[in-house]
Amino acid sequence: MEILRYVFLVFHLFGFAALMGGVFFQLRAKDPVTGSYMASSAVVQLVTGAGLIWTRISLDLPVVDAKMGVKLALDALVAVTALVGMRNKQPWAFYAVGSLTAAAAIVAVVWK
């Protein structure tokens, strides 16, 4: 089970890297848009985040319920916003995905 937790953690970090990498890459463009890679990375973030919570609970490791609730809510908002932005190609969705992803990273690092 510990190995599965590390697998979820690695893919969670890959999803974050793909999301923020996509945001920084698109910022170079004149009209940044949310691409399909950002939507799939957001779904990876959501699924692996839920998997991380499940494995921590299964291993009787400490879980801060409020933090995990906020993180899951942010990950769900990122996924929905990325899917909407991918379909509508609106600039607001692109900036929302970047901001919400940054907020999720801040919550993950700062909230103890």
Side-chain angles (χ1 to χ4, degrees):
M1 186 66 80
E2 187 70 19
I3 293 171
L4 182 60
R5 186 172 74 89
Y6 285 123
V7 168
F8 280 136
L9 180 62
V10 166
F11 280 100
H12 196 67
L13 293 173
F14 285 167
F16 171 75
L19 268 171
M20 287 310 289
V23 167
F24 289 132
F25 181 77
Q26 282 290 323
L27 281 174
R28 296 178 12 183
K30 185 176 180 178
D31 295 320
V33 293
T34 306
S36 60
Y37 57 91
M38 292 174 81
S40 60
S41 298
V43 171
V44 166
Q45 282 284 96
L46 183 61
V47 171
T48 57
L52 279 168
I53 294 169
W54 171 71
T55 55
R56 287 188 70 84
I57 291 170
S58 297
L59 291 169
D60 291 327
L61 295 173
V63 176
V64 179
D65 292 334
K67 176 183 176 180
M68 294 304 115
V70 169
K71 279 279 295 154
L72 276 178
L74 284 170
D75 287 345
L77 280 171
V78 169
V80 168
T81 306
L83 291 170
V84 168
M86 185 182 70
R87 292 203 76 172
N88 297 340
K89 303 292 184 197
Q90 295 291 324
W92 67 266
F94 168 78
Y95 292 111
V97 166
S99 299
L100 290 169
T101 302
I106 291 168
V107 167
V109 172
V110 173
W111 193 335
K112 298 290 176 188

Tab-separated table of all heavy atoms in Angstrom, residues 21-78:
chain	number	residue	atom	x	y	z
A	21	GLY	N	3.185	23.899	-16.209
A	21	GLY	CA	3.996	24.021	-17.422
A	21	GLY	C	3.167	24.506	-18.597
A	21	GLY	O	3.610	25.348	-19.381
A	22	GLY	N	1.945	23.973	-18.714
A	22	GLY	CA	1.037	24.429	-19.767
A	22	GLY	C	0.648	25.885	-19.604
A	22	GLY	O	0.550	26.630	-20.581
A	23	VAL	N	0.431	26.299	-18.368
A	23	VAL	CA	0.087	27.699	-18.104
A	23	VAL	C	1.246	28.604	-18.512
A	23	VAL	O	1.057	29.591	-19.239
A	23	VAL	CB	-0.280	27.904	-16.615
A	23	VAL	CG1	-0.333	29.374	-16.260
A	23	VAL	CG2	-1.595	27.235	-16.296
A	24	PHE	N	2.451	28.269	-18.071
A	24	PHE	CA	3.600	29.113	-18.405
A	24	PHE	C	3.897	29.105	-19.903
A	24	PHE	O	4.280	30.127	-20.475
A	24	PHE	CB	4.837	28.695	-17.615
A	24	PHE	CG	4.748	29.041	-16.159
A	24	PHE	CD1	5.066	28.106	-15.187
A	24	PHE	CD2	4.339	30.291	-15.744
A	24	PHE	CE1	4.980	28.424	-13.846
A	24	PHE	CE2	4.247	30.625	-14.412
A	24	PHE	CZ	4.566	29.686	-13.445
A	25	PHE	N	3.704	27.967	-20.553
A	25	PHE	CA	3.935	27.903	-21.996
A	25	PHE	C	2.904	28.747	-22.740
A	25	PHE	O	3.248	29.482	-23.669
A	25	PHE	CB	3.871	26.445	-22.482
A	25	PHE	CG	4.123	26.301	-23.945
A	25	PHE	CD1	5.407	26.385	-24.451
A	25	PHE	CD2	3.078	26.100	-24.824
A	25	PHE	CE1	5.651	26.267	-25.805
A	25	PHE	CE2	3.307	25.982	-26.186
A	25	PHE	CZ	4.596	26.065	-26.677
A	26	GLN	N	1.644	28.655	-22.336
A	26	GLN	CA	0.587	29.415	-23.011
A	26	GLN	C	0.687	30.920	-22.745
A	26	GLN	O	0.186	31.713	-23.534
A	26	GLN	CB	-0.796	28.913	-22.563
A	26	GLN	CG	-1.214	27.627	-23.210
A	26	GLN	CD	-1.516	27.817	-24.686
A	26	GLN	OE1	-2.051	28.825	-25.120
A	26	GLN	NE2	-1.160	26.820	-25.472
A	27	LEU	N	1.321	31.308	-21.656
A	27	LEU	CA	1.472	32.736	-21.377
A	27	LEU	C	2.305	33.441	-22.442
A	27	LEU	O	2.196	34.651	-22.620
A	27	LEU	CB	2.094	32.954	-19.995
A	27	LEU	CG	1.150	32.818	-18.816
A	27	LEU	CD1	1.916	32.920	-17.509
A	27	LEU	CD2	0.057	33.870	-18.869
A	28	ARG	N	3.126	32.687	-23.145
A	28	ARG	CA	3.925	33.267	-24.222
A	28	ARG	C	3.071	33.622	-25.428
A	28	ARG	O	3.445	34.477	-26.222
A	28	ARG	CB	5.002	32.287	-24.657
A	28	ARG	CG	6.009	31.987	-23.588
A	28	ARG	CD	7.029	30.978	-24.004
A	28	ARG	NE	7.011	30.692	-25.416
A	28	ARG	CZ	7.766	29.806	-26.022
A	28	ARG	NH1	8.625	29.110	-25.326
A	28	ARG	NH2	7.689	29.594	-27.306
A	29	ALA	N	1.940	32.949	-25.584
A	29	ALA	CA	1.077	33.175	-26.747
A	29	ALA	C	0.330	34.499	-26.605
A	29	ALA	O	0.138	35.022	-25.506
A	29	ALA	CB	0.086	32.034	-26.895
A	30	LYS	N	-0.114	35.017	-27.739
A	30	LYS	CA	-0.863	36.271	-27.740
A	30	LYS	C	-2.218	36.089	-27.062
A	30	LYS	O	-2.645	36.926	-26.275
A	30	LYS	CB	-1.046	36.767	-29.166
A	30	LYS	CG	-1.705	38.109	-29.257
A	30	LYS	CD	-1.778	38.596	-30.673
A	30	LYS	CE	-2.446	39.949	-30.714
A	30	LYS	NZ	-2.507	40.484	-32.059
A	31	ASP	N	-2.916	35.006	-27.395
A	31	ASP	CA	-4.212	34.693	-26.802
A	31	ASP	C	-4.138	33.326	-26.145
A	31	ASP	O	-4.413	32.303	-26.782
A	31	ASP	CB	-5.320	34.693	-27.874
A	31	ASP	CG	-5.543	36.061	-28.474
A	31	ASP	OD1	-5.498	37.039	-27.710
A	31	ASP	OD2	-5.760	36.144	-29.698
A	32	PRO	N	-3.775	33.257	-24.874
A	32	PRO	CA	-3.638	31.949	-24.222
A	32	PRO	C	-4.986	31.250	-24.073
A	32	PRO	O	-5.996	31.895	-23.778
A	32	PRO	CB	-3.040	32.291	-22.858
A	32	PRO	CG	-3.384	33.713	-22.621
A	32	PRO	CD	-3.481	34.357	-23.965
A	33	VAL	N	-4.994	29.949	-24.319
A	33	VAL	CA	-6.210	29.154	-24.197
A	33	VAL	C	-5.910	27.892	-23.389
A	33	VAL	O	-4.759	27.467	-23.275
A	33	VAL	CB	-6.785	28.761	-25.579
A	33	VAL	CG1	-7.279	29.970	-26.336
A	33	VAL	CG2	-5.762	28.000	-26.389
A	34	THR	N	-6.950	27.309	-22.864
A	34	THR	CA	-6.831	26.063	-22.123
A	34	THR	C	-6.842	24.918	-23.116
A	34	THR	O	-7.797	24.750	-23.865
A	34	THR	CB	-8.003	25.916	-21.138
A	34	THR	OG1	-8.055	27.075	-20.319
A	34	THR	CG2	-7.830	24.693	-20.274
A	35	GLY	N	-5.783	24.134	-23.120
A	35	GLY	CA	-5.679	23.020	-24.048
A	35	GLY	C	-6.167	21.718	-23.434
A	35	GLY	O	-6.407	21.617	-22.230
A	36	SER	N	-6.276	20.707	-24.271
A	36	SER	CA	-6.753	19.406	-23.799
A	36	SER	C	-5.757	18.780	-22.820
A	36	SER	O	-6.148	18.043	-21.916
A	36	SER	CB	-6.990	18.477	-24.986
A	36	SER	OG	-5.786	18.284	-25.704
A	37	TYR	N	-4.476	19.074	-22.992
A	37	TYR	CA	-3.472	18.560	-22.067
A	37	TYR	C	-3.677	19.125	-20.666
A	37	TYR	O	-3.408	18.457	-19.672
A	37	TYR	CB	-2.056	18.876	-22.558
A	37	TYR	CG	-1.826	20.351	-22.776
A	37	TYR	CD1	-1.344	21.153	-21.769
A	37	TYR	CD2	-2.130	20.936	-24.000
A	37	TYR	CE1	-1.163	22.505	-21.944
A	37	TYR	CE2	-1.948	22.293	-24.192
A	37	TYR	CZ	-1.469	23.076	-23.163
A	37	TYR	OH	-1.300	24.410	-23.359
A	38	MET	N	-4.153	20.344	-20.572
A	38	MET	CA	-4.422	20.936	-19.265
A	38	MET	C	-5.638	20.279	-18.620
A	38	MET	O	-5.647	20.030	-17.413
A	38	MET	CB	-4.624	22.447	-19.390
A	38	MET	CG	-3.348	23.182	-19.768
A	38	MET	SD	-3.618	24.918	-20.092
A	38	MET	CE	-3.651	25.541	-18.437
A	39	ALA	N	-6.650	19.982	-19.430
A	39	ALA	CA	-7.839	19.315	-18.891
A	39	ALA	C	-7.504	17.909	-18.418
A	39	ALA	O	-7.927	17.493	-17.328
A	39	ALA	CB	-8.942	19.278	-19.948
A	40	SER	N	-6.721	17.174	-19.190
A	40	SER	CA	-6.365	15.817	-18.768
A	40	SER	C	-5.458	15.847	-17.536
A	40	SER	O	-5.582	15.008	-16.639
A	40	SER	CB	-5.721	15.044	-19.912
A	40	SER	OG	-4.551	15.683	-20.350
A	41	SER	N	-4.574	16.825	-17.453
A	41	SER	CA	-3.723	16.963	-16.267
A	41	SER	C	-4.556	17.309	-15.039
A	41	SER	O	-4.264	16.835	-13.930
A	41	SER	CB	-2.674	18.044	-16.486
A	41	SER	OG	-1.827	17.701	-17.545
A	42	ALA	N	-5.587	18.117	-15.217
A	42	ALA	CA	-6.459	18.470	-14.096
A	42	ALA	C	-7.225	17.248	-13.599
A	42	ALA	O	-7.401	17.068	-12.386
A	42	ALA	CB	-7.432	19.571	-14.514
A	43	VAL	N	-7.659	16.401	-14.505
A	43	VAL	CA	-8.346	15.171	-14.101
A	43	VAL	C	-7.370	14.235	-13.385
A	43	VAL	O	-7.724	13.599	-12.383
A	43	VAL	CB	-9.010	14.497	-15.325
A	43	VAL	CG1	-9.539	13.123	-14.972
A	43	VAL	CG2	-10.125	15.375	-15.867
A	44	VAL	N	-6.134	14.167	-13.870
A	44	VAL	CA	-5.111	13.361	-13.189
A	44	VAL	C	-4.905	13.885	-11.774
A	44	VAL	O	-4.823	13.105	-10.815
A	44	VAL	CB	-3.782	13.370	-13.986
A	44	VAL	CG1	-2.632	12.847	-13.141
A	44	VAL	CG2	-3.924	12.567	-15.254
A	45	GLN	N	-4.841	15.201	-11.607
A	45	GLN	CA	-4.696	15.803	-10.286
A	45	GLN	C	-5.838	15.391	-9.356
A	45	GLN	O	-5.618	15.035	-8.208
A	45	GLN	CB	-4.692	17.328	-10.392
A	45	GLN	CG	-3.414	17.930	-10.849
A	45	GLN	CD	-2.396	17.934	-9.759
A	45	GLN	OE1	-1.573	17.036	-9.691
A	45	GLN	NE2	-2.445	18.908	-8.901
A	46	LEU	N	-7.054	15.447	-9.869
A	46	LEU	CA	-8.227	15.122	-9.065
A	46	LEU	C	-8.225	13.651	-8.647
A	46	LEU	O	-8.421	13.319	-7.479
A	46	LEU	CB	-9.498	15.465	-9.845
A	46	LEU	CG	-10.820	15.264	-9.133
A	46	LEU	CD1	-10.903	16.134	-7.891
A	46	LEU	CD2	-11.962	15.596	-10.077
A	47	VAL	N	-7.978	12.765	-9.592
A	47	VAL	CA	-8.007	11.323	-9.311
A	47	VAL	C	-6.863	10.918	-8.375
A	47	VAL	O	-7.074	10.170	-7.407
A	47	VAL	CB	-7.964	10.524	-10.631
A	47	VAL	CG1	-7.770	9.041	-10.380
A	47	VAL	CG2	-9.237	10.766	-11.432
A	48	THR	N	-5.665	11.399	-8.654
A	48	THR	CA	-4.536	11.014	-7.800
A	48	THR	C	-4.630	11.659	-6.421
A	48	THR	O	-4.186	11.069	-5.436
A	48	THR	CB	-3.190	11.374	-8.450
A	48	THR	OG1	-3.158	12.774	-8.738
A	48	THR	CG2	-2.970	10.564	-9.715
A	49	GLY	N	-5.213	12.843	-6.334
A	49	GLY	CA	-5.425	13.461	-5.022
A	49	GLY	C	-6.376	12.638	-4.171
A	49	GLY	O	-6.130	12.407	-2.980
A	50	ALA	N	-7.468	12.174	-4.783
A	50	ALA	CA	-8.397	11.302	-4.057
A	50	ALA	C	-7.709	9.994	-3.678
A	50	ALA	O	-7.918	9.466	-2.571
A	50	ALA	CB	-9.634	11.037	-4.915
A	51	GLY	N	-6.870	9.465	-4.566
A	51	GLY	CA	-6.124	8.248	-4.268
A	51	GLY	C	-5.149	8.440	-3.125
A	51	GLY	O	-4.972	7.539	-2.284
A	52	LEU	N	-4.513	9.592	-3.074
A	52	LEU	CA	-3.596	9.883	-1.966
A	52	LEU	C	-4.324	9.922	-0.626
A	52	LEU	O	-3.838	9.391	0.378
A	52	LEU	CB	-2.880	11.213	-2.205
A	52	LEU	CG	-1.691	11.172	-3.147
A	52	LEU	CD1	-1.264	12.581	-3.531
A	52	LEU	CD2	-0.550	10.424	-2.510
A	53	ILE	N	-5.487	10.541	-0.606
A	53	ILE	CA	-6.267	10.588	0.630
A	53	ILE	C	-6.669	9.173	1.041
A	53	ILE	O	-6.534	8.789	2.211
A	53	ILE	CB	-7.508	11.488	0.463
A	53	ILE	CG1	-7.077	12.942	0.251
A	53	ILE	CG2	-8.425	11.380	1.683
A	53	ILE	CD1	-8.204	13.849	-0.179
A	54	TRP	N	-7.123	8.382	0.091
A	54	TRP	CA	-7.554	7.012	0.379
A	54	TRP	C	-6.412	6.170	0.937
A	54	TRP	O	-6.593	5.446	1.920
A	54	TRP	CB	-8.128	6.389	-0.891
A	54	TRP	CG	-8.406	4.938	-0.757
A	54	TRP	CD1	-9.400	4.356	-0.019
A	54	TRP	CD2	-7.670	3.878	-1.362
A	54	TRP	NE1	-9.310	2.985	-0.139
A	54	TRP	CE2	-8.265	2.674	-0.955
A	54	TRP	CE3	-6.564	3.839	-2.210
A	54	TRP	CZ2	-7.790	1.443	-1.368
A	54	TRP	CZ3	-6.107	2.604	-2.618
A	54	TRP	CH2	-6.710	1.434	-2.207
A	55	THR	N	-5.231	6.283	0.324
A	55	THR	CA	-4.113	5.475	0.813
A	55	THR	C	-3.638	5.941	2.181
A	55	THR	O	-3.256	5.112	3.016
A	55	THR	CB	-2.929	5.486	-0.179
A	55	THR	OG1	-2.551	6.824	-0.458
A	55	THR	CG2	-3.277	4.741	-1.450
A	56	ARG	N	-3.661	7.238	2.441
A	56	ARG	CA	-3.258	7.723	3.770
A	56	ARG	C	-4.225	7.213	4.837
A	56	ARG	O	-3.800	6.804	5.923
A	56	ARG	CB	-3.177	9.246	3.804
A	56	ARG	CG	-1.979	9.794	3.049
A	56	ARG	CD	-1.828	11.278	3.263
A	56	ARG	NE	-1.410	11.592	4.613
A	56	ARG	CZ	-0.143	11.582	5.028
A	56	ARG	NH1	0.819	11.247	4.198
A	56	ARG	NH2	0.158	11.902	6.262
A	57	ILE	N	-5.511	7.232	4.538
A	57	ILE	CA	-6.494	6.722	5.496
A	57	ILE	C	-6.309	5.218	5.688
A	57	ILE	O	-6.369	4.708	6.808
A	57	ILE	CB	-7.927	7.065	5.042
A	57	ILE	CG1	-8.162	8.577	5.159
A	57	ILE	CG2	-8.964	6.302	5.858
A	57	ILE	CD1	-9.442	9.062	4.536
A	58	SER	N	-6.064	4.500	4.593
A	58	SER	CA	-5.871	3.050	4.674
A	58	SER	C	-4.639	2.671	5.481
A	58	SER	O	-4.623	1.629	6.140
A	58	SER	CB	-5.750	2.451	3.275
A	58	SER	OG	-6.930	2.649	2.552
A	59	LEU	N	-3.607	3.489	5.425
A	59	LEU	CA	-2.374	3.217	6.159
A	59	LEU	C	-2.379	3.804	7.572
A	59	LEU	O	-1.375	3.769	8.260
A	59	LEU	CB	-1.175	3.772	5.389
A	59	LEU	CG	-0.841	3.062	4.085
A	59	LEU	CD1	0.185	3.856	3.286
A	59	LEU	CD2	-0.331	1.654	4.359
A	60	ASP	N	-3.508	4.355	8.001
A	60	ASP	CA	-3.644	5.000	9.313
A	60	ASP	C	-2.641	6.126	9.510
A	60	ASP	O	-2.142	6.349	10.613
A	60	ASP	CB	-3.517	3.981	10.444
A	60	ASP	CG	-4.700	3.024	10.488
A	60	ASP	OD1	-5.814	3.464	10.146
A	60	ASP	OD2	-4.498	1.854	10.862
A	61	LEU	N	-2.336	6.844	8.429
A	61	LEU	CA	-1.486	8.027	8.516
A	61	LEU	C	-2.363	9.232	8.835
A	61	LEU	O	-3.554	9.251	8.513
A	61	LEU	CB	-0.738	8.243	7.198
A	61	LEU	CG	0.273	7.162	6.828
A	61	LEU	CD1	0.803	7.401	5.426
A	61	LEU	CD2	1.404	7.125	7.821
A	62	PRO	N	-1.812	10.256	9.464
A	62	PRO	CA	-2.640	11.415	9.810
A	62	PRO	C	-3.135	12.152	8.563
A	62	PRO	O	-2.403	12.316	7.591
A	62	PRO	CB	-1.702	12.301	10.620
A	62	PRO	CG	-0.331	11.854	10.268
A	62	PRO	CD	-0.430	10.407	9.892
A	63	VAL	N	-4.402	12.548	8.614
A	63	VAL	CA	-5.034	13.285	7.520
A	63	VAL	C	-5.745	14.492	8.124
A	63	VAL	O	-6.549	14.343	9.041
A	63	VAL	CB	-6.055	12.402	6.758
A	63	VAL	CG1	-6.770	13.200	5.692
A	63	VAL	CG2	-5.378	11.192	6.152
A	64	VAL	N	-5.434	15.671	7.631
A	64	VAL	CA	-6.127	16.887	8.056
A	64	VAL	C	-7.346	17.035	7.137
A	64	VAL	O	-7.211	17.394	5.965
A	64	VAL	CB	-5.201	18.117	7.971
A	64	VAL	CG1	-5.934	19.370	8.397
A	64	VAL	CG2	-3.951	17.902	8.790
A	65	ASP	N	-8.520	16.711	7.692
A	65	ASP	CA	-9.731	16.659	6.875
A	65	ASP	C	-10.052	17.987	6.208
A	65	ASP	O	-10.452	18.018	5.038
A	65	ASP	CB	-10.919	16.208	7.722
A	65	ASP	CG	-10.797	14.757	8.166
A	65	ASP	OD1	-10.114	13.983	7.460
A	65	ASP	OD2	-11.376	14.405	9.211
A	66	ALA	N	-9.886	19.091	6.916
A	66	ALA	CA	-10.195	20.398	6.335
A	66	ALA	C	-9.271	20.696	5.151
A	66	ALA	O	-9.724	21.161	4.097
A	66	ALA	CB	-10.078	21.485	7.389
A	67	LYS	N	-7.986	20.411	5.315
A	67	LYS	CA	-7.026	20.651	4.235
A	67	LYS	C	-7.357	19.797	3.025
A	67	LYS	O	-7.342	20.275	1.891
A	67	LYS	CB	-5.611	20.347	4.723
A	67	LYS	CG	-4.552	20.485	3.651
A	67	LYS	CD	-3.181	20.107	4.177
A	67	LYS	CE	-2.129	20.157	3.101
A	67	LYS	NZ	-0.806	19.791	3.604
A	68	MET	N	-7.651	18.529	3.259
A	68	MET	CA	-7.961	17.630	2.142
A	68	MET	C	-9.256	18.029	1.445
A	68	MET	O	-9.371	17.934	0.224
A	68	MET	CB	-8.052	16.176	2.627
A	68	MET	CG	-6.746	15.616	3.129
A	68	MET	SD	-5.422	15.704	1.921
A	68	MET	CE	-4.312	16.839	2.715
A	69	GLY	N	-10.213	18.531	2.220
A	69	GLY	CA	-11.457	19.021	1.626
A	69	GLY	C	-11.218	20.227	0.733
A	69	GLY	O	-11.763	20.318	-0.378
A	70	VAL	N	-10.399	21.149	1.207
A	70	VAL	CA	-10.076	22.334	0.417
A	70	VAL	C	-9.303	21.940	-0.838
A	70	VAL	O	-9.576	22.422	-1.943
A	70	VAL	CB	-9.284	23.360	1.265
A	70	VAL	CG1	-8.703	24.471	0.412
A	70	VAL	CG2	-10.172	23.930	2.351
A	71	LYS	N	-8.334	21.021	-0.683
A	71	LYS	CA	-7.539	20.579	-1.834
A	71	LYS	C	-8.409	19.880	-2.869
A	71	LYS	O	-8.274	20.126	-4.075
A	71	LYS	CB	-6.430	19.626	-1.372
A	71	LYS	CG	-5.217	20.286	-0.814
A	71	LYS	CD	-4.278	20.772	-1.881
A	71	LYS	CE	-3.720	19.590	-2.651
A	71	LYS	NZ	-3.335	19.928	-3.987
A	72	LEU	N	-9.304	18.986	-2.419
A	72	LEU	CA	-10.182	18.300	-3.366
A	72	LEU	C	-11.126	19.278	-4.055
A	72	LEU	O	-11.388	19.156	-5.256
A	72	LEU	CB	-10.981	17.200	-2.664
A	72	LEU	CG	-10.273	15.869	-2.508
A	72	LEU	CD1	-11.138	14.878	-1.749
A	72	LEU	CD2	-9.896	15.288	-3.855
A	73	ALA	N	-11.626	20.263	-3.306
A	73	ALA	CA	-12.504	21.268	-3.909
A	73	ALA	C	-11.745	22.081	-4.961
A	73	ALA	O	-12.267	22.332	-6.065
A	73	ALA	CB	-13.077	22.183	-2.826
A	74	LEU	N	-10.520	22.480	-4.643
A	74	LEU	CA	-9.718	23.230	-5.616
A	74	LEU	C	-9.406	22.379	-6.847
A	74	LEU	O	-9.489	22.859	-7.984
A	74	LEU	CB	-8.428	23.733	-4.975
A	74	LEU	CG	-8.560	24.931	-4.043
A	74	LEU	CD1	-7.258	25.179	-3.299
A	74	LEU	CD2	-8.974	26.164	-4.823
A	75	ASP	N	-9.051	21.107	-6.622
A	75	ASP	CA	-8.761	20.219	-7.759
A	75	ASP	C	-9.998	20.003	-8.628
A	75	ASP	O	-9.903	19.957	-9.857
A	75	ASP	CB	-8.213	18.871	-7.270
A	75	ASP	CG	-6.790	18.980	-6.757
A	75	ASP	OD1	-6.127	20.000	-7.033
A	75	ASP	OD2	-6.336	18.031	-6.077
A	76	ALA	N	-11.169	19.887	-7.995
A	76	ALA	CA	-12.410	19.737	-8.770
A	76	ALA	C	-12.707	21.004	-9.563
A	76	ALA	O	-13.112	20.943	-10.737
A	76	ALA	CB	-13.574	19.399	-7.840
A	77	LEU	N	-12.495	22.174	-8.950
A	77	LEU	CA	-12.702	23.438	-9.663
A	77	LEU	C	-11.734	23.585	-10.841
A	77	LEU	O	-12.127	24.057	-11.917
A	77	LEU	CB	-12.527	24.622	-8.709
A	77	LEU	CG	-13.700	24.956	-7.822
A	77	LEU	CD1	-13.296	26.001	-6.798
A	77	LEU	CD2	-14.864	25.458	-8.650
A	78	VAL	N	-10.496	23.179	-10.639
A	78	VAL	CA	-9.519	23.235	-11.731
A	78	VAL	C	-9.965	22.334	-12.869
A	78	VAL	O	-9.938	22.736	-14.043
A	78	VAL	CB	-8.104	22.833	-11.233
A	78	VAL	CG1	-7.158	22.631	-12.400
A	78	VAL	CG2	-7.558	23.881	-10.297
